[in-house]
mmCIF file of all heavy atoms in Angstrom:
data_model
loop_
_atom_site.group_PDB
_atom_site.id
_atom_site.type_symbol
_atom_site.label_atom_id
_atom_site.label_comp_id
_atom_site.label_asym_id
_atom_site.label_seq_id
_atom_site.Cartn_x
_atom_site.Cartn_y
_atom_site.Cartn_z
ATOM 1 N N ASP A 19 2.322 30.331 5.066
ATOM 2 C CA ASP A 19 1.659 29.246 4.340
ATOM 3 C C ASP A 19 1.077 28.226 5.315
ATOM 4 O O ASP A 19 -0.076 27.797 5.186
ATOM 5 C CB ASP A 19 2.647 28.543 3.408
ATOM 6 C CG ASP A 19 2.987 29.353 2.177
ATOM 7 O OD1 ASP A 19 2.291 30.343 1.894
ATOM 8 O OD2 ASP A 19 3.962 28.994 1.493
ATOM 9 N N ALA A 20 1.884 27.822 6.281
ATOM 10 C CA ALA A 20 1.441 26.800 7.234
ATOM 11 C C ALA A 20 0.243 27.279 8.045
ATOM 12 O O ALA A 20 -0.700 26.511 8.303
ATOM 13 C CB ALA A 20 2.586 26.420 8.165
ATOM 14 N N ALA A 21 0.252 28.551 8.446
ATOM 15 C CA ALA A 21 -0.861 29.095 9.227
ATOM 16 C C ALA A 21 -2.133 29.191 8.410
ATOM 17 O O ALA A 21 -3.247 29.111 8.956
ATOM 18 C CB ALA A 21 -0.479 30.470 9.774
ATOM 19 N N ALA A 22 -2.004 29.373 7.095
ATOM 20 C CA ALA A 22 -3.169 29.611 6.241
ATOM 21 C C ALA A 22 -3.836 28.335 5.748
ATOM 22 O O ALA A 22 -5.024 28.337 5.408
ATOM 23 C CB ALA A 22 -2.756 30.461 5.034
ATOM 24 N N ARG A 23 -3.115 27.226 5.707
ATOM 25 C CA ARG A 23 -3.619 26.018 5.056
ATOM 26 C C ARG A 23 -4.863 25.464 5.736
ATOM 27 O O ARG A 23 -5.067 25.619 6.937
ATOM 28 C CB ARG A 23 -2.524 24.948 5.026
ATOM 29 C CG ARG A 23 -1.378 25.308 4.104
ATOM 30 C CD ARG A 23 -0.236 24.333 4.194
ATOM 31 N NE ARG A 23 -0.624 23.000 3.752
ATOM 32 C CZ ARG A 23 0.152 22.205 3.013
ATOM 33 N NH1 ARG A 23 1.349 22.614 2.630
ATOM 34 N NH2 ARG A 23 -0.257 20.999 2.663
ATOM 35 N N SER A 24 -5.675 24.798 4.939
ATOM 36 C CA SER A 24 -6.912 24.206 5.438
ATOM 37 C C SER A 24 -6.617 22.905 6.185
ATOM 38 O O SER A 24 -6.216 21.907 5.580
ATOM 39 C CB SER A 24 -7.866 23.918 4.277
ATOM 40 O OG SER A 24 -8.921 23.077 4.693
ATOM 41 N N ALA A 25 -6.838 22.918 7.505
ATOM 42 C CA ALA A 25 -6.646 21.701 8.300
ATOM 43 C C ALA A 25 -7.663 20.632 7.920
ATOM 44 O O ALA A 25 -7.343 19.439 7.903
ATOM 45 C CB ALA A 25 -6.750 22.032 9.786
ATOM 46 N N SER A 26 -8.874 21.056 7.579
ATOM 47 C CA SER A 26 -9.911 20.070 7.273
ATOM 48 C C SER A 26 -9.592 19.300 5.998
ATOM 49 O O SER A 26 -9.831 18.084 5.923
ATOM 50 C CB SER A 26 -11.275 20.758 7.161
ATOM 51 O OG SER A 26 -11.307 21.667 6.082
ATOM 52 N N LEU A 27 -9.046 19.964 4.989
ATOM 53 C CA LEU A 27 -8.680 19.249 3.763
ATOM 54 C C LEU A 27 -7.486 18.332 3.999
ATOM 55 O O LEU A 27 -7.411 17.236 3.422
ATOM 56 C CB LEU A 27 -8.379 20.236 2.639
ATOM 57 C CG LEU A 27 -9.568 21.016 2.081
ATOM 58 C CD1 LEU A 27 -9.160 21.798 0.840
ATOM 59 C CD2 LEU A 27 -10.753 20.115 1.772
ATOM 60 N N THR A 28 -6.555 18.758 4.840
ATOM 61 C CA THR A 28 -5.435 17.883 5.176
ATOM 62 C C THR A 28 -5.932 16.615 5.856
ATOM 63 O O THR A 28 -5.497 15.503 5.532
ATOM 64 C CB THR A 28 -4.434 18.620 6.083
ATOM 65 O OG1 THR A 28 -3.938 19.781 5.410
ATOM 66 C CG2 THR A 28 -3.267 17.716 6.454
ATOM 67 N N HIS A 29 -6.855 16.756 6.806
ATOM 68 C CA HIS A 29 -7.425 15.582 7.481
ATOM 69 C C HIS A 29 -8.174 14.690 6.493
ATOM 70 O O HIS A 29 -8.081 13.460 6.556
ATOM 71 C CB HIS A 29 -8.368 16.026 8.594
ATOM 72 C CG HIS A 29 -7.681 16.669 9.758
ATOM 73 N ND1 HIS A 29 -6.513 16.181 10.304
ATOM 74 C CD2 HIS A 29 -8.007 17.776 10.479
ATOM 75 C CE1 HIS A 29 -6.140 16.951 11.315
ATOM 76 N NE2 HIS A 29 -7.021 17.923 11.428
ATOM 77 N N LEU A 30 -8.925 15.312 5.587
ATOM 78 C CA LEU A 30 -9.680 14.541 4.599
ATOM 79 C C LEU A 30 -8.735 13.686 3.756
ATOM 80 O O LEU A 30 -8.984 12.485 3.538
ATOM 81 C CB LEU A 30 -10.473 15.504 3.715
ATOM 82 C CG LEU A 30 -11.430 14.940 2.668
ATOM 83 C CD1 LEU A 30 -12.514 15.954 2.345
ATOM 84 C CD2 LEU A 30 -10.710 14.564 1.369
ATOM 85 N N VAL A 31 -7.657 14.292 3.289
ATOM 86 C CA VAL A 31 -6.701 13.571 2.446
ATOM 87 C C VAL A 31 -5.998 12.474 3.241
ATOM 88 O O VAL A 31 -5.803 11.352 2.754
ATOM 89 C CB VAL A 31 -5.693 14.570 1.839
ATOM 90 C CG1 VAL A 31 -4.481 13.848 1.274
ATOM 91 C CG2 VAL A 31 -6.375 15.400 0.757
ATOM 92 N N ALA A 32 -5.611 12.789 4.479
ATOM 93 C CA ALA A 32 -4.960 11.776 5.317
ATOM 94 C C ALA A 32 -5.857 10.566 5.515
ATOM 95 O O ALA A 32 -5.395 9.412 5.462
ATOM 96 C CB ALA A 32 -4.564 12.385 6.659
ATOM 97 N N ASP A 33 -7.140 10.800 5.731
ATOM 98 C CA ASP A 33 -8.081 9.685 5.882
ATOM 99 C C ASP A 33 -8.229 8.892 4.591
ATOM 100 O O ASP A 33 -8.344 7.663 4.609
ATOM 101 C CB ASP A 33 -9.442 10.211 6.327
ATOM 102 C CG ASP A 33 -9.457 10.703 7.762
ATOM 103 O OD1 ASP A 33 -8.510 10.382 8.509
ATOM 104 O OD2 ASP A 33 -10.396 11.449 8.123
ATOM 105 N N ALA A 34 -8.216 9.610 3.456
ATOM 106 C CA ALA A 34 -8.424 8.948 2.162
ATOM 107 C C ALA A 34 -7.292 7.995 1.807
ATOM 108 O O ALA A 34 -7.500 7.013 1.093
ATOM 109 C CB ALA A 34 -8.594 9.997 1.067
ATOM 110 N N ILE A 35 -6.082 8.262 2.300
ATOM 111 C CA ILE A 35 -4.929 7.429 1.934
ATOM 112 C C ILE A 35 -4.454 6.549 3.092
ATOM 113 O O ILE A 35 -3.431 5.866 2.978
ATOM 114 C CB ILE A 35 -3.759 8.306 1.438
ATOM 115 C CG1 ILE A 35 -3.285 9.261 2.543
ATOM 116 C CG2 ILE A 35 -4.164 9.073 0.184
ATOM 117 C CD1 ILE A 35 -2.079 10.096 2.146
ATOM 118 N N ALA A 36 -5.194 6.541 4.191
ATOM 119 C CA ALA A 36 -4.733 5.872 5.416
ATOM 120 C C ALA A 36 -4.556 4.367 5.254
ATOM 121 O O ALA A 36 -3.782 3.751 5.998
ATOM 122 C CB ALA A 36 -5.706 6.157 6.556
ATOM 123 N N ALA A 37 -5.251 3.751 4.301
ATOM 124 C CA ALA A 37 -5.172 2.293 4.156
ATOM 125 C C ALA A 37 -3.859 1.832 3.540
ATOM 126 O O ALA A 37 -3.524 0.645 3.595
ATOM 127 C CB ALA A 37 -6.343 1.798 3.306
ATOM 128 N N HIS A 38 -3.103 2.742 2.946
ATOM 129 C CA HIS A 38 -1.870 2.364 2.255
ATOM 130 C C HIS A 38 -0.688 2.339 3.226
ATOM 131 O O HIS A 38 -0.561 3.205 4.100
ATOM 132 C CB HIS A 38 -1.584 3.345 1.118
ATOM 133 C CG HIS A 38 -2.672 3.417 0.095
ATOM 134 N ND1 HIS A 38 -2.942 2.376 -0.765
ATOM 135 C CD2 HIS A 38 -3.567 4.400 -0.191
ATOM 136 C CE1 HIS A 38 -3.957 2.718 -1.557
ATOM 137 N NE2 HIS A 38 -4.353 3.936 -1.224
ATOM 138 N N ASP A 39 0.177 1.348 3.049
ATOM 139 C CA ASP A 39 1.350 1.225 3.906
ATOM 140 C C ASP A 39 2.486 0.597 3.096
ATOM 141 O O ASP A 39 2.449 -0.602 2.801
ATOM 142 C CB ASP A 39 1.027 0.370 5.130
ATOM 143 C CG ASP A 39 2.169 0.321 6.124
ATOM 144 O OD1 ASP A 39 3.038 1.217 6.057
ATOM 145 O OD2 ASP A 39 2.197 -0.601 6.949
ATOM 146 N N PRO A 40 3.483 1.386 2.706
ATOM 147 C CA PRO A 40 3.623 2.805 3.001
ATOM 148 C C PRO A 40 2.778 3.662 2.063
ATOM 149 O O PRO A 40 2.323 3.193 1.012
ATOM 150 C CB PRO A 40 5.110 3.051 2.751
ATOM 151 C CG PRO A 40 5.452 2.078 1.667
ATOM 152 C CD PRO A 40 4.636 0.845 1.958
ATOM 153 N N VAL A 41 2.572 4.920 2.443
ATOM 154 C CA VAL A 41 1.920 5.902 1.582
ATOM 155 C C VAL A 41 2.971 6.465 0.628
ATOM 156 O O VAL A 41 4.024 6.943 1.059
ATOM 157 C CB VAL A 41 1.299 7.046 2.406
ATOM 158 C CG1 VAL A 41 0.747 8.129 1.489
ATOM 159 C CG2 VAL A 41 0.211 6.507 3.317
ATOM 160 N N LEU A 42 2.692 6.393 -0.665
ATOM 161 C CA LEU A 42 3.617 6.893 -1.682
ATOM 162 C C LEU A 42 3.143 8.264 -2.152
ATOM 163 O O LEU A 42 2.025 8.395 -2.663
ATOM 164 C CB LEU A 42 3.692 5.920 -2.857
ATOM 165 C CG LEU A 42 4.077 4.475 -2.509
ATOM 166 C CD1 LEU A 42 4.175 3.637 -3.771
ATOM 167 C CD2 LEU A 42 5.387 4.433 -1.730
ATOM 168 N N VAL A 43 3.980 9.266 -1.978
ATOM 169 C CA VAL A 43 3.611 10.664 -2.211
ATOM 170 C C VAL A 43 4.515 11.260 -3.277
ATOM 171 O O VAL A 43 5.735 11.043 -3.273
ATOM 172 C CB VAL A 43 3.733 11.495 -0.913
ATOM 173 C CG1 VAL A 43 3.240 12.927 -1.144
ATOM 174 C CG2 VAL A 43 2.976 10.836 0.232
ATOM 175 N N LEU A 44 3.919 12.054 -4.173
ATOM 176 C CA LEU A 44 4.661 12.846 -5.153
ATOM 177 C C LEU A 44 4.416 14.315 -4.855
ATOM 178 O O LEU A 44 3.265 14.763 -4.816
ATOM 179 C CB LEU A 44 4.192 12.520 -6.572
ATOM 180 C CG LEU A 44 4.717 13.433 -7.692
ATOM 181 C CD1 LEU A 44 6.237 13.328 -7.821
ATOM 182 C CD2 LEU A 44 4.033 13.088 -9.026
ATOM 183 N N ASP A 45 5.489 15.066 -4.626
ATOM 184 C CA ASP A 45 5.397 16.505 -4.369
ATOM 185 C C ASP A 45 5.998 17.238 -5.555
ATOM 186 O O ASP A 45 7.204 17.131 -5.820
ATOM 187 C CB ASP A 45 6.140 16.852 -3.075
ATOM 188 C CG ASP A 45 5.905 18.294 -2.638
ATOM 189 O OD1 ASP A 45 4.846 18.847 -2.966
ATOM 190 O OD2 ASP A 45 6.788 18.856 -1.956
ATOM 191 N N LEU A 46 5.167 17.995 -6.271
ATOM 192 C CA LEU A 46 5.579 18.696 -7.479
ATOM 193 C C LEU A 46 6.076 20.099 -7.140
ATOM 194 O O LEU A 46 5.470 20.795 -6.324
ATOM 195 C CB LEU A 46 4.403 18.793 -8.450
ATOM 196 C CG LEU A 46 3.806 17.465 -8.924
ATOM 197 C CD1 LEU A 46 2.507 17.705 -9.680
ATOM 198 C CD2 LEU A 46 4.806 16.696 -9.795
ATOM 199 N N ALA A 47 7.154 20.519 -7.819
ATOM 200 C CA ALA A 47 7.735 21.848 -7.589
ATOM 201 C C ALA A 47 7.959 22.072 -6.095
ATOM 202 O O ALA A 47 7.522 23.046 -5.502
ATOM 203 C CB ALA A 47 6.845 22.938 -8.181
ATOM 204 N N THR A 48 8.693 21.163 -5.504
ATOM 205 C CA THR A 48 8.818 21.109 -4.047
ATOM 206 C C THR A 48 9.612 22.258 -3.451
ATOM 207 O O THR A 48 9.501 22.544 -2.262
ATOM 208 C CB THR A 48 9.454 19.762 -3.637
ATOM 209 O OG1 THR A 48 9.230 19.532 -2.258
ATOM 210 C CG2 THR A 48 10.942 19.737 -3.937
ATOM 211 N N GLY A 49 10.437 22.936 -4.266
ATOM 212 C CA GLY A 49 11.244 24.031 -3.732
ATOM 213 C C GLY A 49 12.219 23.519 -2.692
ATOM 214 O O GLY A 49 13.000 22.597 -2.931
ATOM 215 N N THR A 50 12.170 24.104 -1.487
ATOM 216 C CA THR A 50 13.039 23.649 -0.395
ATOM 217 C C THR A 50 12.295 22.750 0.580
ATOM 218 O O THR A 50 12.808 22.455 1.661
ATOM 219 C CB THR A 50 13.638 24.845 0.351
ATOM 220 O OG1 THR A 50 12.581 25.650 0.877
ATOM 221 C CG2 THR A 50 14.526 25.679 -0.556
ATOM 222 N N GLY A 51 11.057 22.331 0.232
ATOM 223 C CA GLY A 51 10.393 21.287 0.993
ATOM 224 C C GLY A 51 9.365 21.714 2.018
ATOM 225 O O GLY A 51 9.004 20.926 2.890
ATOM 226 N N SER A 52 8.824 22.914 1.920
ATOM 227 C CA SER A 52 7.866 23.366 2.940
ATOM 228 C C SER A 52 6.602 22.513 2.949
ATOM 229 O O SER A 52 6.032 22.254 4.022
ATOM 230 C CB SER A 52 7.507 24.836 2.731
ATOM 231 O OG SER A 52 6.830 25.034 1.507
ATOM 232 N N ASN A 53 6.160 22.057 1.788
ATOM 233 C CA ASN A 53 4.957 21.230 1.732
ATOM 234 C C ASN A 53 5.180 19.903 2.447
ATOM 235 O O ASN A 53 4.333 19.432 3.216
ATOM 236 C CB ASN A 53 4.564 21.001 0.274
ATOM 237 C CG ASN A 53 3.172 20.415 0.123
ATOM 238 O OD1 ASN A 53 2.269 20.681 0.909
ATOM 239 N ND2 ASN A 53 2.996 19.610 -0.917
ATOM 240 N N LEU A 54 6.341 19.301 2.223
ATOM 241 C CA LEU A 54 6.679 18.060 2.918
ATOM 242 C C LEU A 54 6.714 18.284 4.430
ATOM 243 O O LEU A 54 6.163 17.495 5.195
ATOM 244 C CB LEU A 54 8.015 17.532 2.422
ATOM 245 C CG LEU A 54 8.513 16.233 3.065
ATOM 246 C CD1 LEU A 54 9.252 15.388 2.032
ATOM 247 C CD2 LEU A 54 9.446 16.503 4.242
ATOM 248 N N ARG A 55 7.378 19.367 4.854
ATOM 249 C CA ARG A 55 7.512 19.607 6.296
ATOM 250 C C ARG A 55 6.154 19.827 6.959
ATOM 251 O O ARG A 55 5.963 19.466 8.119
ATOM 252 C CB ARG A 55 8.452 20.788 6.542
ATOM 253 C CG ARG A 55 9.907 20.456 6.241
ATOM 254 C CD ARG A 55 10.846 21.561 6.661
ATOM 255 N NE ARG A 55 10.768 22.735 5.811
ATOM 256 C CZ ARG A 55 11.437 22.904 4.684
ATOM 257 N NH1 ARG A 55 12.241 21.935 4.225
ATOM 258 N NH2 ARG A 55 11.320 24.012 3.984
#
């Protein structure tokens, strides 16, 4: 999963939320947390 994910979309999202401090995130169906990691 980690190798396949789009780095460009991750960067886009990180830039879009960069003004918030702290950033508040909701992870749905998180399982054992791979998305968070």
